[in-house]
Amino acid sequence: MKPNKLTIFNDPIYGFISIPSDLIFDLIAHPYFQRLRRISQMGLSYLVYPGAHHTRFHHALGSMYLMQKSIRVLRYKGVDISEADEKGLLGAILLHDIGHGPFSHAMEHSIVNGVSHEHISLQFMKELNVAFKGELDGAIAIFTRKHPKKFLNQLVSSQLDMDRLDYLKRDSFYTGVSEGNTNADRLITMLNVVDGNLVVEEKGIYSVEKFLMARRFMYWQVYLHKTGVVAEQILISILKRARYLIDNGIDLYASRPLLFFLQNDIHRENFDAKVLELFSKLDDVDILSAIKNWQDAEDKVLATLCKMLINRKLLHIKVKKEPIKKEKLSKKKERVGALLGLTTDDDISYFFFTGEIENRAYNQESQNIHILRKNGKIVDVAKLSDHLNITALSKTVTKYYICYPKEAV
């Protein structure tokens, strides 16, 4: 390490996190990565849990810390992880979320048209690989799940990866939802590799069960909390309305990067290096600044939506176990139009809408969590567990919501 370079971060979850190499330091110092300091880890969840103001920057460093621990544990157990493998693992996990847009997942449906954050992360990694003269070749192979050592890919992306281990523990800490807290140390200590695949030793099965239950609780209590859901939908509606007004020749104040994405239909086919550079300058600050200004817009729909979000006077939301009947929706829609003085279906749709939320804590059809029994056999956790809920957790639970104002806004 060069003198005077910062070598540790003090993290509230794990304590001191060391930076293992010049490459990792320089990646963290790059403007692409520093942008993550201005990207909320949990979107608008702070409207429900006031402490949830941590960022993607925190999460990326935490995930890297857990990866360092995993490498040490697996090497101690005799698993072959070369220096090149380690460099690839740390680079891949550090950059795995670098493609997130402002307020995270909400932007995949409004700023860009169906371009996932994983796709954008890969574009960032390719650009950085050019700047760092091929140093990220291994990281890209692992991130795209093309590395011949499967367990390396699984450490970065699977149903028991370092990404999930960190965000559950971190989000639980910052929200205060203790049910989401997991014993990451215990889980990592129980990791092993058999036939090239990541497994958990049988002694760790109860930690896996707790991890899956924690994931289920965090989704219902935090990530899919009804207030967070309606806030995110309002944010999506704000950007949709802004795009509509701009398309119809109305000038709106916004930063240059935000205006670019509102004025252009950006999809995977035209997401080139120029677009990536503009995307790298876009963060939560651009969105919040625009929304604060649009509160005073002449357009009633846009101004009302912005005031609702800024002042946390959100739409009312009801969540049901069954789809809502069309007759009930039709009557409710008429009442909303009359209440707000809106006459067109398009305008009413910003304040009255329905949707679905889904939760499946464990997907038995993809990248199963395998338990290594003492007799050497490999068994899926759902088959070995004596916890009745594990099988139930593999089923998708769908709930249906309806959003509308209870009074004039």
Side-chain angles (χ1 to χ4, degrees), residues 1-17:
M1 298 288 288
K2 296 176 183 177
N4 300 321
K5 277 196 172 184
L6 177 67
T7 56
I8 58 171
F9 286 95
N10 193 352
D11 182 72
I13 309 295
Y14 309 120
F16 292 120
I17 297 176

Side-chain angles (χ1 to χ4, degrees), residues 220-239:
W220 285 135
Q221 290 183 238
V222 179
Y223 308 129
L224 297 177
H225 189 287
K226 64 178 185 177
T227 303
V229 168
V230 71
E232 183 174 293
Q233 291 302 315
I234 290 173
L235 174 57
I236 292 171
S237 292
I238 288 171
L239 294 169

Side-chain angles (χ1 to χ4, degrees), residues 113-127:
N113 185 6
V115 186
S116 69
H117 71 271
E118 291 92 350
H119 177 78
I120 300 174
S121 291
L122 180 58
Q123 303 315 306
F124 273 125
M125 291 173 75
K126 288 178 177 178
E127 287 294 312

Side-chain angles (χ1 to χ4, degrees), residues 241 333 342-349:
R241 185 65 176 185
K333 187 175 183 179
L342 302 173
T343 56
T344 69
D345 286 346
D346 284 345
D347 286 352
I348 295 173
S349 68

Side-chain angles (χ1 to χ4, degrees), residues 104-166:
S104 298
H105 296 283
M107 296 300 99
E108 293 178 23
H109 308 288
S110 44
I111 289 295
V112 291
N113 185 6
V115 186
S116 69
H117 71 271
E118 291 92 350
H119 177 78
I120 300 174
S121 291
L122 180 58
Q123 303 315 306
F124 273 125
M125 291 173 75
K126 288 178 177 178
E127 287 294 312
L128 287 168
N129 198 32
V130 172
F132 286 88
K133 300 178 180 178
E135 293 277 7
L136 295 177
D137 284 343
I140 291 173
I142 292 171
F143 183 78
T144 55
R145 302 186 63 79
K146 293 178 180 178
H147 198 284
K149 293 183 178 178
K150 291 182 181 179
F151 74 92
L152 300 182
N153 308 328
Q154 292 160 356
L155 282 167
V156 172
S157 178
S158 67
Q159 292 197 82
L160 191 61
D161 56 33
M162 299 308 107
D163 171 31
R164 294 186 185 194
L165 283 181
D166 180 78

Side-chain angles (χ1 to χ4, degrees), residues 47-103:
L47 293 175
V48 183
Y49 300 99
H53 276 287
H54 54 302
T55 67
R56 292 280 163 186
F57 185 88
H58 297 110
H59 167 57
L61 292 178
S63 299
M64 184 191 71
Y65 170 80
L66 294 181
M67 187 65 78
Q68 289 175 291
K69 293 195 72 170
S70 299
I71 291 168
R72 287 196 297 270
V73 165
L74 292 174
R75 279 178 171 165
Y76 177 78
K77 294 179 180 180
V79 178
D80 178 28
I81 301 177
S82 67
E83 293 298 318
D85 293 339
E86 179 179 4
K87 183 168 73 171
L89 281 171
L90 295 179
I93 198 65
L94 184 71
L95 302 174
H96 77 281
D97 271 351
I98 198 171
H100 269 289
F103 295 103

Side-chain angles (χ1 to χ4, degrees), residues 82-327:
S82 67
E83 293 298 318
D85 293 339
E86 179 179 4
K87 183 168 73 171
L89 281 171
L90 295 179
I93 198 65
L94 184 71
L95 302 174
H96 77 281
D97 271 351
I98 198 171
H100 269 289
F103 295 103
S104 298
H105 296 283
M107 296 300 99
E108 293 178 23
H109 308 288
S110 44
I111 289 295
V112 291
N113 185 6
V115 186
S116 69
H117 71 271
E118 291 92 350
H119 177 78
I120 300 174
S121 291
L122 180 58
Q123 303 315 306
F124 273 125
M125 291 173 75
K126 288 178 177 178
E127 287 294 312
L128 287 168
N129 198 32
V130 172
F132 286 88
K133 300 178 180 178
E135 293 277 7
L136 295 177
D137 284 343
I140 291 173
I142 292 171
F143 183 78
T144 55
R145 302 186 63 79
K146 293 178 180 178
H147 198 284
K149 293 183 178 178
K150 291 182 181 179
F151 74 92
L152 300 182
N153 308 328
Q154 292 160 356
L155 282 167
V156 172
S157 178
S158 67
Q159 292 197 82
L160 191 61
D161 56 33
M162 299 308 107
D163 171 31
R164 294 186 185 194
L165 283 181
D166 180 78
Y167 77 64
L168 285 177
K169 193 173 186 68
R170 188 169 300 277
D171 296 349
S172 170
F173 175 86
Y174 280 100
T175 58
V177 178
S178 59
E179 292 86 350
N181 193 14
T182 58
N183 192 341
D185 287 341
R186 173 69 174 169
L187 281 164
I188 289 172
T189 302
M190 292 296 105
L191 291 179
N192 211 327
V193 173
V194 175
D195 296 331
N197 288 298
L198 197 66
V199 298
V200 179
E201 294 166 359
E202 189 171 4
K203 290 183 293 184
I205 188 169
Y206 298 118
S207 296
V208 174
E209 289 176 353
K210 187 177 186 301
F211 164 78
L212 292 174
M213 291 300 296
R215 192 162 185 264
R216 176 182 181 274
F217 286 136
M218 285 296 285
Y219 267 86
W220 285 135
Q221 290 183 238
V222 179
Y223 308 129
L224 297 177
H225 189 287
K226 64 178 185 177
T227 303
V229 168
V230 71
E232 183 174 293
Q233 291 302 315
I234 290 173
L235 174 57
I236 292 171
S237 292
I238 288 171
L239 294 169
K240 175 184 173 184
R241 185 65 176 185
R243 185 186 293 274
Y244 167 81
L245 294 173
I246 288 172
D247 287 346
N248 283 273
I250 296 174
D251 291 331
L252 290 176
Y253 165 84
S255 66
R256 187 173 71 89
L258 180 55
L259 271 179
F260 172 83
F261 285 97
L262 292 175
Q263 292 169 342
N264 296 277
D265 179 23
I266 302 300
H267 43 82
R268 285 184 66 139
E269 288 69 27
N270 63 0
F271 201 102
D272 56 20
K274 175 190 173 185
V275 172
L276 185 70
E277 190 60 30
L278 282 165
F279 189 88
S280 74
K281 293 178 170 59
L282 195 63
D283 55 48
D284 290 7
V285 178
D286 298 84
I287 304 299
L288 283 175
S289 176
I291 291 174
K292 286 178 68 178
N293 276 277
W294 295 344
Q295 289 180 102
D296 301 316
E298 293 183 9
D299 180 73
K300 178 182 177 182
V301 171
L302 181 62
T304 303
L305 289 169
C306 291
K307 288 174 184 175
M308 291 170 67
L309 200 58
I310 290 293
N311 299 318
R312 202 191 178 277
K313 293 185 176 179
L314 308 173
L315 296 172
H316 183 65
I317 179 171
K318 283 187 176 181
V319 179
K320 304 284 187 180
K321 292 183 178 179
E322 302 292 335
I324 300 153
K325 294 180 180 179
K326 291 184 179 180
E327 303 79 30

